Amino acid sequence: TSDGKLDSTVSTALANHFKSDTVKISTAYFKPEFVSDKLFANVFGGSTEILNKLNLANSLDALLLARETIQYSKTPSLDNLVTANLQLEVQVVPITGSIQNHSWSFIANGAGFSQNEAKSNADERILKLIANDTKMSLNN
């Protein structure tokens, strides 16, 4: 998430979207320190150094990573209605040569009278976008 925490709801939605008879996805492969120690950010940014050090090729074909960014705005003329503008970037990072690099981006807005309510509404829309997406695939 934008505050550096793992989001199990989005993780599960992505896992459900990609899983098949030939694809197994684990949503709990890394510990929270992978995010808090900035290792996630480095890998998401294109660095493979930590992946090589962890010797992941023995256990993974690829990593499926997602990063959320969110911005809030208030509309004073509407009783300070809060709008959450959420972007979810999804990447497939190949570990072995059998998977290609892919990336997708989703944008959703949510409104409410608090940041939590606005974010919750934006999250709900992101989950629907993931569930209904027809272009995200590991086979392209």
Side-chain angles (χ1 to χ4, degrees):
T1 64
S2 54
D3 60 359
K5 296 192 171 101
L6 299 174
D7 185 333
S8 62
T9 306
V10 171
S11 296
T12 300
L14 287 168
N16 288 337
H17 182 85
F18 283 103
K19 77 177 177 183
S20 70
D21 292 340
T22 59
V23 175
K24 294 179 186 174
I25 297 197
S26 170
T27 59
Y29 196 82
F30 293 109
K31 294 182 179 183
E33 290 79 14
F34 185 74
V35 175
S36 64
D37 291 349
K38 308 291 185 219
L39 300 174
F40 173 90
N42 290 339
V43 173
F44 202 88
S47 173
T48 58
E49 182 180 345
I50 189 65
L51 302 180
N52 296 331
K53 285 182 181 178
L54 293 174
N55 200 21
L56 296 177
N58 293 332
S59 53
L60 299 174
D61 292 324
L63 290 176
L64 179 64
L65 303 175
R67 176 175 62 188
E68 171 191 285
T69 53
I70 191 162
Q71 294 181 337
Y72 296 100
S73 60
K74 279 189 179 181
T75 307
S77 63
L78 295 174
D79 291 330
N80 286 324
L81 181 74
V82 177
T83 301
N85 303 301
L86 192 147
Q87 180 176 6
L88 183 72
E89 299 170 87
V90 180
Q91 278 188 21
V92 175
V93 178
I95 305 293
T96 65
S98 62
I99 303 282
Q100 292 183 1
N101 190 5
H102 296 289
S103 63
W104 304 273
S105 184
F106 298 93
I107 296 174
N109 298 316
F113 290 101
S114 70
Q115 284 188 350
N116 285 342
E117 184 182 9
K119 183 180 183 317
S120 177
N121 289 329
D123 283 339
E124 189 176 307
R125 287 185 174 94
I126 283 288
L127 295 175
K128 286 179 185 177
L129 290 172
I130 292 168
N132 296 324
D133 186 86
T134 59
K135 295 182 180 170
M136 265 196 321
S137 170
L138 297 176
N139 300 323
N140 296 356

